[in-house]
Amino acid sequence: MIASFDATETVLALCLTGISLVCLYDRHLVRACCFFVAFALTMTTAWWHIGASWLAVVEFLLGALMTGLSLFYALGLFLPRGASPLIRDTFVDVWPRKVARVFLVLGWLVMLGAVIRFAIPGLFNAPLEQPLLLAGIMMIASGLGAFALHRHLVRRLLAFNILGSGVFMVLVGVAGPTATAQALISVGLCIAWLGSMLAALLIQQLVYLAGADSMRGDGDLGERAR
């Protein structure tokens, strides 16, 4: 398991948790994607610190570099037509859907807590002794919440990647940075990058076919229809 408490792990855990929250809830989409790149670089440092050197290399190449480029492409920053129509997200949505999503998030968090309670009982006894493992759980919770609450597809893509990073951190926290665990998680990072690249292509195709309004929340569309 991710062992013994130390100051470096604590700082990395706090940085991962804080950057992931900013990435998921900053209304400026370009800035949110920049924060995701910073998050991936922090994950690279965390992998290196716990001795998972393979994962550090894969995270840097596929997380910070390739997934970061995919996110910026999804925003339309690399397209020849110029400024992207997906710069900001207003978070506007109709109240019934907001309430339903809040209950969905709470249900997911209850299930997550139950799994952690029985799968990682040591975390409940001494949570501060494994700060990176605790940060992984916080990333899973925030990623689940953002995926349920946000309508914007780029935000859901960000939530998907934060959630995946949290799952990978928890897996290493439970299994340890063994060669087998690093190999399995490296495959998972490759699949996550391929999924992000496909999602970016689909998002831009949707914008091309239906316009930038297809990225807005239900509340935005309702306001424009009045």
Side-chain angles (χ1 to χ4, degrees):
M1 297 177 68
I2 296 174
S4 65
F5 170 85
D6 64 51
T8 304
E9 278 192 17
T10 303
V11 171
L12 287 170
L14 291 173
C15 288
L16 286 170
T17 304
I19 296 173
S20 65
L21 290 174
V22 175
C23 171
L24 292 172
Y25 293 101
D26 190 335
R27 295 191 178 195
H28 195 285
L29 293 169
V30 176
R31 191 165 55 216
C33 291
C34 291
F35 272 107
F36 177 81
V37 174
F39 171 83
L41 292 174
T42 308
M43 281 289 292
T44 300
T45 306
W47 291 134
W48 191 270
H49 176 73
I50 64 176
S53 55
W54 295 359
L55 289 181
V57 174
V58 175
E59 182 73 45
F60 176 77
L61 294 176
L62 297 183
L65 185 60
M66 302 304 294
T67 302
L69 291 174
S70 298
L71 290 167
F72 290 125
Y73 177 81
L75 294 178
L77 298 184
F78 299 143
L79 300 183
R81 63 175 176 267
S84 168
L86 307 178
I87 296 299
R88 291 188 69 84
D89 175 22
T90 59
F91 291 3
V92 177
D93 208 345
V94 293
W95 273 105
R97 288 189 175 88
K98 286 182 179 179
V99 174
R101 288 179 187 132
V102 167
F103 279 105
L104 179 59
V105 172
L106 292 176
W108 280 349
L109 293 181
V110 168
M111 290 187 289
L112 176 63
V115 171
I116 294 169
R117 176 65 182 86
F118 293 104
I120 320 175
L123 186 64
F124 278 81
N125 300 327
L128 297 181
E129 291 185 2
Q130 302 179 76
L132 286 175
L133 181 56
L134 187 60
I137 293 170
M138 293 297 296
M139 287 186 281
I140 294 174
S142 59
L144 285 172
F147 194 89
L149 293 173
H150 291 319
R151 291 284 294 171
H152 200 291
L153 295 182
V154 174
R155 291 210 169 278
R156 288 191 165 184
L157 182 55
L158 286 167
F160 164 78
N161 281 282
I162 296 293
L163 171 61
S165 296
V167 170
F168 297 146
M169 182 61 73
V170 170
L171 288 176
V172 170
V174 173
T178 63
T180 302
Q182 291 188 61
L184 289 174
I185 294 173
S186 296
V187 173
L189 286 169
C190 291
I191 295 172
W193 167 65
L194 290 173
S196 298
M197 182 176 62
L198 176 60
L201 293 171
L202 291 175
I203 287 170
Q204 275 304 312
Q205 184 67 13
L206 179 60
V207 172
Y208 174 76
L209 294 175
D213 283 347
S214 61
M215 295 294 104
R216 296 179 181 270
D218 294 337
D220 287 327
L221 294 176
E223 289 293 331
R224 292 174 66 89
R226 289 194 182 101

